[in-house]
């Protein structure tokens, strides 16, 4: 594995740009792959559909998953990934602009590793994304890494 | 007596008539017999007075001459009377000169009977008659009369009277049987009607009136009583029907209302769901563009900051501040809606500790502010922990905020008892507010201060008020402008409406060190 891949599942272009910018600011040496909806995210993870050519064995290092997504919701994507033996250990961080308790509870009970509320303040956002990137790409070692 | 009491009225009446008649017969008979007996005796006395005087007269010569044969002859004439059983003649010295007895069993002549004797003993009438010759007592005639015949006659009378009494009794029995019906028949009819009424509960029956006497009056009274009962019964029935009708109507109305409520509840549920969906999308969709505004402004500043002048920088700062403020507004609005929707989970809360934590948090955020805070150390209450925290957060936060321009800022948090309820308060010596606007304090978006002076969204106190009301409490405030404000609230004042209230009851002020 050469490049650390981060899968960013985000339907909002603005949020996508800001997230990528934040990840860059946090200086995480990684390649960011963006999926626009739940289906595309699963296609990437399972290397199917338009990602069928992709090396199936290369799993993203971390998935930043928005909850509100077209087609399949973030929680459905999470459920699917957690139900497959090969993908169930991928770290998944839920991103959402809502701070509804129920989302948080549902996310954790489906096996999300972390939960980040996208704050209005961009400075805060950079801080949180940076923290996240350093944690999952730097210090934390996942079972995929051998 | 008891047996008579139990007899039917017909027999009582018959017995009464018979007893009365028999009593009359017995009295009459007794009087008659007694009178007859007396009369007979008088007859005997009168008869033998005459007879003895005649015999005494006839014997004057014979006694003068001591002619016993003539005397005996005279006596013999006397004996012709069938009742005379003994007759004797004495001389002046009471020497027996002649005597005749009806038979041998008769008592002999007495030795010296009294003169002018005329008396009855149980069996006999005894009479003596002096024989007077030229005013000289020459001898005495003695007669004894048997009363057997008299007694026989009396006995015959008695038997005849008894026979008559029996005959009368029988006649009276039949007569009284006929007579008693005059009284008993209407009574029995009345009784029959009464038992018929009590058996069938038919108060429309009437007793027949046969006479105009007291029984007739009784029948009238009975009939009018029945009529009254019937009228009352009819009224009761009518009322009962009316009542049933009313109950049925009410039940139907209630069912309608219940239906309506059920529909309303469903609508409310739907509205709540919609509200939830709405606040969800508000929190998500409204924040996104804000984040973009803030984020790209920041990116612009970072990437092109050098090429922009100071005015552009200040405009961008304002842009970022405004989006920040709008973010806060959205957050507080969401909090207000969440406060209304959240289920109450009452637990025992140490208010003193909660307040201290809130104050500590405020201090850590603004370490340069020095505020004297006094908290009553023993305040506990049953309430929803999250909501109470939100409420106190707002109240203490306000006190913190509005003492910002105070030289010696002071906040006091405590409680006191009033009319059996615990009143909690948060007092400050800050800016206060104008009393005239006190009623607007707890409405959303109402602000009594300019934003440049004190920051705020105008939703905080609305949220607090909603939390207090959800705990069935009251909230009010007093203030003098520029001298500070005091906010008071109670929890669970009204009667419990649902289970969530039960847990609050009577635990408002447990002393706990």
């Amino acid at each position: 594995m050469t490049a650390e891949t981060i899968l960013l599942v985000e339907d909002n272009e603005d949020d996508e740009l800001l997230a990528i910018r934040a990840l860059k600011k946090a200086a995480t040496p990684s390649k960011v792959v963006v999926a626009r909806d739940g289906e595309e995210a699963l296609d990437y993870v399972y290397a199917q559909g338009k990602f069928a050519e992709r090396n199936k064995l290369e799993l993203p290092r971390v998935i930043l998953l928005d909850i509100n997504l077209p087609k399949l919701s973030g929680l459905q994507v999470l459920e699917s990934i957690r139900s497959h033996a090969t993908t169930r250990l991928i770290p998944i961080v839920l991103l959402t602009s809502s701070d509804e308790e129920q989302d948080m509870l549902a996310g954790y009970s489906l096996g999300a590793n972390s939960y980040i509320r996208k704050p209005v303040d961009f400075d805060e956002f950079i801080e949180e994304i940076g923290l996240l990137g350093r944690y999952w790409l730097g210090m934390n070692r996942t079972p995929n890494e051998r | 007596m008891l047996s008579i009491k139990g007899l039917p009225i017909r027999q009582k009446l018959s017995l009464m008539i018979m007893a009365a008649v028999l009593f009359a017969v017995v009295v009459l008979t007794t009087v008659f017999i007694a009178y007859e007996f007396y009369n007979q005796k008088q007859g005997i006395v009168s008869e033998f007075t005459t007879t003895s005087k005649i015999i005494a007269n006839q014997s004057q010569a014979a006694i003068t001459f001591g002619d016993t044969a003539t005397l005996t002859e005279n006596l013999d004439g006397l004996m012709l009377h069938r009742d005379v059983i003994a007759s004797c003649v004495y001389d002046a010295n009471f020497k027996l000169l002649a005597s005749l007895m009806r038979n041998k069993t008769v008592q002999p002549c007495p030795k010296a009977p009294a003169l002018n004797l005329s008396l009855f003993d149980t069996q006999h009438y005894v009479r003596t008659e002096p024989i007077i010759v030229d005013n000289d007592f020459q001898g005495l005639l003695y007669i004894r009369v048997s009363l057997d015949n008299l007694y026989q006659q009396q006995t015959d009378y008695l038997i005849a009277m008894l026979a008559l009494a029996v005959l009368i009794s029988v006649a009276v029995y039949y007569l009284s049987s006929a007579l008693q019906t005059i009284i008993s028949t209407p009574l029995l009819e009345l009784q029959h009607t009464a038992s018929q009424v009590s058996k069938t509960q038919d108060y429309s029956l009437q007793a027949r009136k046969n006479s105009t006497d007291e029984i007739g009056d009784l029948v009238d009274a009975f009939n009018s009583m029945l009529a009254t009962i019937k009228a009352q019964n009819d009224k009761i029935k009518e009322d009962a029907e009316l009542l049933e009708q009313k109950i049925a109507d009410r039940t139907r109305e209630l069912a309608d209302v219940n239906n309506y409520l059920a529909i309303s509840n469903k609508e409310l549920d739907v509205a709540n769901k919609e509200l939830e969906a709405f606040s969800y999308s508000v929190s998500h969709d409204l924040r996104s563009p804000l984040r973009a505004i803030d984020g790209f402004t920041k990116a612009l500043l970072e990437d092109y900051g050098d090429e922009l002048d100071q005015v552009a920088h200040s405009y961008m700062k304002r842009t970022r501040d405004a989006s920040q403020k709008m973010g806060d507004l959205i957050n507080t609005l969401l909090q207000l809606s969440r406060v209304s929707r959240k289920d109450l989970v009452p637990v025992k809360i140490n208010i003193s500790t909660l307040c201290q934590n809130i104050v500590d948090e405020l201090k850590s955020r603004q370490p340069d502010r020095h505020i004297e805070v006094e908290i009553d150390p023993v305040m506990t209450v049953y309430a929803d922990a999250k909501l109470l925290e939100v409420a106190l957060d707002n109240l203490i936060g306000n006190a913190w905020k509005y003492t910002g321009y105070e030289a010696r800022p002071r906040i006091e948090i405590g409680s006191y008892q009033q009319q059996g309820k615990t009143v909690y308060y948060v007092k400050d010596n800050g800016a206060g507010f104008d009393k005239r606007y006190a009623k607007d304090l707890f409405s959303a978006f109402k602000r009594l201060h300019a934003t440049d002076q004190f920051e705020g969204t105008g939703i905080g106190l609305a949220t607090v008020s909603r939390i207090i009301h959800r705990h069935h409490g009251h909230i009010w405030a007093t203030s003098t402008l520029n001298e500070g404000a005091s906010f008071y609230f109670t929890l669970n004042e009204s009667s419990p409406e649902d289970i969530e209230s039960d847990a609050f009851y009577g635990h408002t002020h447990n002393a706990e060190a």
Side-chain angles (χ1 to χ4, degrees):
Chain A
M1 279 217 296
T2 48
E4 306 275 11
T5 307
I6 294 176
L7 175 61
L8 173 65
V9 190
E10 176 63 78
D11 64 316
N12 185 318
E13 237 176 297
D14 289 340
D15 281 353
E16 176 204 323
L17 264 174
L18 290 170
I20 291 171
R21 185 181 166 86
L23 283 169
K24 266 186 202 154
K25 287 256 166 198
T28 47
S30 55
K31 180 181 120 191
V32 178
V33 177
V34 177
R36 288 293 178 172
D37 58 50
E39 258 180 33
E40 217 178 297
L42 288 182
D43 281 351
Y44 181 85
V45 172
Y46 302 137
Q48 59 190 24
K50 77 180 211 188
F51 296 104
E53 305 300 311
R54 192 179 76 79
N55 179 3
K56 203 176 180 173
L57 295 174
E58 276 184 23
L59 293 176
R61 185 60 188 267
V62 62
I63 300 176
L64 301 181
L65 182 59
D66 190 19
I67 283 186
N68 271 40
L69 289 172
K71 297 181 186 170
L72 289 175
S73 80
L75 292 174
Q76 284 172 302
V77 172
L78 172 64
E79 200 174 6
S80 171
I81 293 173
R82 284 288 179 258
S83 66
H84 284 78
T86 50
T87 58
R88 67 186 177 88
L89 292 174
I90 303 174
I92 296 178
V93 176
L94 289 177
L95 289 176
T96 181
S97 36
S98 89
D99 52 358
E100 287 293 303
E101 228 175 85
Q102 65 209 43
D103 279 353
M104 216 174 354
L105 283 175
Y108 280 125
S109 63
L110 287 174
N113 296 75
S114 189
Y115 182 101
I116 290 181
R117 191 172 71 88
K118 294 186 268 183
V120 169
D121 189 339
F122 188 64
D123 294 337
E124 264 181 65
F125 192 48
I126 289 179
E127 197 179 311
E128 290 197 20
I129 287 279
L131 215 70
L132 198 86
R134 281 195 291 281
Y135 182 73
W136 290 109
L137 300 174
M139 302 178 265
N140 198 34
R141 308 189 80 76
T142 66
N144 294 342
E145 197 181 14
R146 283 284 134 86
Chain B
M1 283 309 277
L2 270 175
S3 57
I4 288 173
K5 270 187 183 167
L7 285 176
I9 196 158
R10 285 168 186 281
Q11 293 183 21
K12 264 187 213 156
L13 281 169
S14 293
L15 275 177
M16 269 164 58
I17 296 171
M18 280 178 72
V21 170
L22 279 180
F23 179 72
V25 168
V26 166
V27 169
L28 274 177
T29 309
T30 310
V31 169
F32 176 77
I33 290 175
Y35 178 71
E36 194 56 33
F37 188 61
Y38 173 75
N39 249 5
Q40 295 277 348
K41 275 163 95 174
Q42 285 304 108
I44 289 173
V45 170
S46 140
E47 186 183 351
F48 284 97
T49 304
T50 313
T51 309
S52 63
K53 279 200 192 312
I54 293 168
I55 298 299
N57 253 354
Q58 285 175 353
S59 302
Q60 281 177 352
I63 203 114
T64 313
F65 299 104
D67 182 359
T68 55
T70 307
L71 287 174
T72 308
E73 230 170 80
N74 286 347
L75 291 183
D76 206 29
L78 198 61
M79 293 304 278
L80 284 174
H81 198 291
R82 62 185 179 119
D83 286 342
V84 177
I85 53 165
S87 53
C88 316
V89 178
Y90 303 86
D91 63 8
N93 299 317
F94 295 103
K95 187 182 159 227
L96 188 63
L97 298 178
S99 69
L100 279 177
M101 305 293 151
R102 177 77 54 196
N103 51 50
K104 295 232 161 81
T105 61
V106 174
Q107 255 186 346
C109 297
K111 275 195 174 149
L115 302 185
N116 297 317
L117 209 61
S118 176
L119 59 86
F120 286 92
D121 64 15
T122 52
Q123 298 290 325
H124 310 98
Y125 173 64
V126 179
R127 181 167 183 95
T128 54
E129 188 66 39
I131 301 166
I132 310 291
V133 182
D134 299 334
N135 292 327
D136 269 345
F137 175 69
Q138 292 297 332
L140 185 70
L141 176 64
Y142 173 91
I143 303 169
R144 197 186 303 148
V145 181
S146 164
L147 296 181
D148 285 353
N149 280 327
L150 180 66
Y151 285 132
Q152 183 59 48
Q153 206 177 0
Q154 293 295 316
T155 311
D156 289 349
Y157 273 136
L158 204 63
I159 288 167
M161 286 299 171
L162 278 176
L164 190 66
V166 169
L167 273 175
I168 287 173
S169 295
V170 172
V172 162
Y173 176 75
Y174 285 107
L175 196 63
S176 69
S177 295
L179 285 175
Q180 54 84 20
T181 56
I182 295 171
I183 292 168
S184 68
T185 304
L187 276 177
L188 287 175
E189 269 184 31
L190 190 62
Q191 182 262 341
H192 177 73
T193 310
S195 64
Q196 197 74 7
V197 166
S198 77
K199 210 184 286 170
T200 61
Q201 303 288 316
D202 180 3
Y203 296 103
S204 62
L205 289 175
Q206 291 275 290
R208 195 154 57 90
K209 187 180 174 184
N210 295 317
S211 56
T212 52
D213 57 2
E214 290 91 333
I215 294 175
D217 292 348
L218 187 62
V219 170
D220 280 345
F222 180 71
N223 282 342
S224 93
M225 193 174 79
L226 278 184
T228 310
I229 291 173
K230 187 176 182 319
Q232 281 175 352
N233 257 6
D234 289 351
K235 181 89 173 67
I236 289 169
K237 251 187 219 163
E238 205 175 289
D239 287 355
E241 274 168 21
L242 211 69
L243 203 65
E244 257 171 42
Q245 186 59 40
K246 268 187 188 168
I247 290 170
D249 287 352
R250 285 289 145 79
T251 312
R252 224 184 353 262
E253 277 169 29
L254 269 180
D256 286 351
V257 170
N258 270 346
N259 259 343
Y260 176 74
L261 277 179
I263 292 168
S264 296
N265 260 346
K266 215 178 264 173
E267 282 171 358
L268 203 65
D269 279 349
V270 171
N272 262 340
K273 288 262 156 63
E274 278 173 7
L275 188 69
E276 263 168 61
F278 173 74
S279 30
Y280 188 91
S281 61
V282 161
S283 70
H284 188 271
D285 298 347
L286 288 187
R287 271 214 202 97
S288 280
L290 275 178
R291 195 162 46 248
I293 293 168
D294 188 65
F296 289 113
T297 312
K298 170 98 190 210
L300 205 58
L301 269 173
E302 281 172 359
D303 296 357
Y304 303 96
D306 299 342
E307 298 166 36
L308 296 170
D309 64 5
Q310 212 173 344
V311 179
H313 273 274
S314 101
Y315 288 168
M316 285 190 179
K317 187 182 179 299
R318 279 176 188 276
T319 310
R320 291 199 74 197
D321 285 352
S323 49
Q324 198 65 241
K325 204 173 283 172
M326 189 160 168
D328 290 345
L329 194 60
I330 290 169
N331 283 345
T332 46
L333 262 182
L334 281 175
Q335 192 179 52
L336 179 63
S337 104
R338 219 173 289 138
V339 155
S340 311
R341 283 180 292 136
K342 186 187 181 302
D343 289 331
L344 288 192
V345 185
V347 290
K348 194 176 187 181
I349 299 167
N350 187 330
I351 295 188
S352 309
T353 314
L354 183 59
C355 291
Q356 191 57 56
N357 291 343
I358 292 168
V359 169
D360 291 347
E361 167 74 20
L362 287 166
K363 270 183 185 162
S364 74
R365 254 190 266 164
Q366 288 181 290
D368 50 324
R369 285 201 62 192
H370 299 288
I371 303 181
E372 185 192 341
V373 180
E374 190 187 310
I375 302 173
D376 177 348
V378 281
M379 291 188 292
T380 54
V381 73
Y382 272 83
D384 184 281
K386 268 209 179 132
L387 293 187
L388 192 67
E389 184 179 350
V390 170
L392 287 169
D393 211 23
N394 271 295
L395 289 175
I396 299 172
N398 278 349
W400 191 273
K401 185 162 68 184
Y402 290 109
T403 48
Y405 296 107
E406 211 54 47
R408 294 170 60 98
R410 192 172 183 286
I411 297 174
E412 187 189 339
I413 302 163
S415 68
Y416 61 90
Q417 293 290 322
Q418 189 178 56
Q419 292 169 349
K421 289 161 194 157
T422 309
V423 178
Y424 301 93
Y425 60 84
V426 176
K427 289 180 184 173
D428 64 64
N429 61 347
F433 56 86
D434 192 328
K435 265 183 224 151
R436 286 178 294 170
Y437 304 115
K439 63 176 166 36
D440 295 333
L441 266 182
F442 301 104
S443 331
F445 300 113
K446 279 283 181 181
R447 300 205 68 238
L448 303 184
H449 298 276
T451 330
D452 57 355
Q453 203 179 3
F454 295 105
E455 293 226 326
T457 54
I459 298 172
L461 283 178
T463 307
V464 173
S465 161
R466 204 166 287 184
I467 290 169
I468 299 304
H469 286 142
R470 286 208 66 197
H471 284 83
H472 307 290
H474 287 295
I475 183 162
W476 66 98
T478 59
S479 174
T480 310
L481 200 54
N482 297 324
E483 281 178 30
S486 303
F487 286 84
Y488 304 89
F489 66 90
T490 60
L491 294 169
N492 185 35
E493 280 220 342
S494 59
S495 60
E497 282 172 13
D498 37 30
I499 39 158
E500 66 187 25
S501 323
D502 286 349
F504 294 112
Y505 240 32
H507 300 287
T508 39
H509 201 87
N510 290 346
E512 203 178 68

